[in-house]
Each structure stands twice: as C-alpha cells, then as structure tokens.
Amino acid sequence: DQQVKQNSPSLSVQEGRISILNCDYTNSMFDYFLWYKKYPAEGPTFLISISSIKDKNEDGRFTVFLNKSAKHLSLHIVPSQPGDSAVYFCAASVSGATNKLIFGTGTLLAVQP
Amino acid sequence: NAGVMQNPRHLVRRRGQEARLRCSPMKGHSHVYWYRQLPEEGLKFMVYLQKENIIDESGMPKERFSAEFPKEGPSILRIQQVVRGDSAAYFCASSPTTGSPGANVLTFGAGSRLTVL
C-alpha cells in the first residue's frame, strides 16, 4: 500500500531552468508534508515543508505547492543548479500522533551544466 | 551539535550472524525512528521509540528484528540470524518532543549499510 507516490523516477533539467518534482498521496489524514534531499552514501536532509492549512510555502529557490483536493504536491526549484543534483523524497505525516514520516520512492534530479 | 550519529557506517555479516546498529539522537531529541532503504527503493518506516518505550513498531518484520532505546546510551536496532534480503541501508532519525517546535521534522543520520554475504 503505497500511500505516497512519486511517479517520475528521474528528471533531467538544464542549469538555470525550473525543476518541478511531483508527489501524490492517498491518505486524507496526512496534514504535514516534507521534501528531503539525499546525496549518495548520505542520509536524507530536510529541505522544505508545508502544513495542510497552506497551499504554498517558499524558501529561497525552493517552493512547495499543495493541492489538497487533488492530493498532490510539487516542489519547484528555480533556478536549478548543478549542486541540486540528488534524489528528492516526498514525505507525509499525521501531526500529533507519532510524527512518523511516510516516504515516496524518490525522484533522481540531474541538473546539466 | 554533532547531529544524529550512527555506527557502524558499514557492516558485513555472513548469513546466520547477528547485526547490531547503533544510533545516538541529536542533543535534546527524545524520539528515535528507524527506517530501511532497500536497493532502488524509498525509505520504509520500521519503528518509533522514546526512552525505554517502543511507541510504534508497525513497520518491523515480525521475526528476527528488535529495537530498543534504553534510559542511558544509544538506540539499538538488532537483526538476528541475518539473511541476504536484510542487506540494505538502515537510517536512524530523531525529533524533539511532540508538540515542540520542529517536532514534525525528522533529522536523519548518515545511515548504516549492512551487507549480508
């Protein structure tokens, strides 16, 4: 039962352009969503999050959009930089319970110089 | 602040041996989570612990796997009688007390990579 899905295993983008990573979820109880970035042989690092009471959160080059009716969120990176090349994981949780995160399968982003 | 510390970073075991993975949470964090990443897959939740208590072990395999977070010392993920299918990266994460600032965000360690020969 894959409650969080990232249907694109990989994405290639030119440096300076926008990267858009997508994520869908099925559990309507999720009320907090996060994006993590992971380099090879390292642990995931937190990037940005959004509560279900919002539809957009922005932090520098990174913006997360949430569409609750479609159960869809996306991460926009603009402008993309070669250092952004990594695997991006979408995660969701139900606040106040255990706060455990349910992860998607990840999207490998390659930013070409 | 050293972050979440995991050791060993790499562990090789033969089938039937035991594997012990250790995790020290970030200073001030009282909640520990273990995740497993199989090759070419995402991170799967295994278990959530607070000091001396297992809160949610819904992701733990029913046999051979156990976890603890004692009053003193690191959290331990123990795998008995390892099989080749246990080869994976095991990540530990920690968070502050539920309801405190940042409680929704888990901070991950660098992982322990288990190889079963």
Side-chain angles (χ1 to χ4, degrees):
Chain A
D1 177 24
Q2 190 69 28
Q3 298 184 68
V4 178
K5 301 177 184 178
Q6 294 176 256
N7 292 320
S8 298
S10 63
L11 175 67
S12 183
V13 170
Q14 286 293 123
E15 181 178 5
R17 299 289 188 103
I18 185 171
S19 295
I20 300 176
L21 297 100
N22 293 302
C23 178
D24 297 293
Y25 61 96
T26 57
N27 188 343
S28 56
M29 297 295 292
F30 289 145
D31 60 358
Y32 199 77
F33 304 90
L34 308 90
W35 285 94
Y36 280 79
K37 175 179 176 180
K38 186 181 181 303
Y39 293 116
E42 296 184 11
T45 55
F46 170 70
L47 199 54
I48 192 169
S49 63
I50 188 167
S51 165
S52 61
I53 63 175
K54 295 185 176 181
D55 53 20
K56 177 182 174 181
N57 188 26
E58 190 172 351
D59 183 2
R61 296 185 298 113
F62 303 91
T63 303
V64 55
F65 295 92
L66 175 62
N67 182 336
K68 288 191 294 292
S69 61
K71 294 191 176 69
H72 177 84
L73 65 155
S74 60
L75 174 68
H76 292 209
I77 307 172
V78 55
S80 301
Q81 299 172 355
D84 296 329
S85 298
V87 177
Y88 289 79
F89 290 99
C90 167
S93 70
V94 178
S95 295
T98 65
N99 285 340
K100 74 182 182 189
L101 300 181
I102 306 301
F103 282 85
T105 50
T107 296
L108 174 61
L109 174 65
V111 180
Q112 309 295 336
Chain B
N1 190 341
V4 178
M5 303 301 293
Q6 290 189 247
N7 67 83
R9 291 293 311 275
H10 300 275
L11 183 64
V12 179
R13 286 287 179 266
R14 297 193 179 279
R15 281 179 295 170
Q17 292 184 318
E18 179 179 286
R20 285 193 181 217
L21 310 177
R22 289 175 291 278
C23 169
S24 296
M26 277 186 70
K27 188 176 180 180
H29 285 191
S30 56
H31 297 194
V32 166
Y33 304 77
W34 284 94
Y35 283 79
R36 175 166 68 173
Q37 185 180 24
L38 294 168
E40 309 301 325
E41 293 188 14
L43 291 95
K44 300 290 188 185
F45 169 78
M46 298 182 75
V47 62
Y48 160 49
L49 310 103
Q50 296 176 18
K51 283 284 187 184
E52 300 184 282
N53 281 306
I54 297 174
I55 307 301
D56 180 347
E57 56 181 346
S58 57
M60 287 281 269
K62 294 286 185 281
E63 298 177 345
R64 303 186 297 107
F65 285 72
S66 62
E68 62 176 8
F69 189 15
K71 188 176 180 181
E72 302 289 338
S75 175
I76 307 285
L77 179 67
R78 182 183 179 205
I79 311 171
Q80 295 178 289
Q81 300 173 346
V82 296
V83 301
R84 289 220 173 102
D86 297 333
S87 296
Y90 292 83
F91 292 97
C92 172
S94 69
S95 70
T97 304
T98 301
S100 57
N104 298 80
V105 178
L106 304 190
T107 302
F108 282 82
S112 293
R113 277 148 189 86
L114 172 65
T115 301
V116 180
L117 301 178

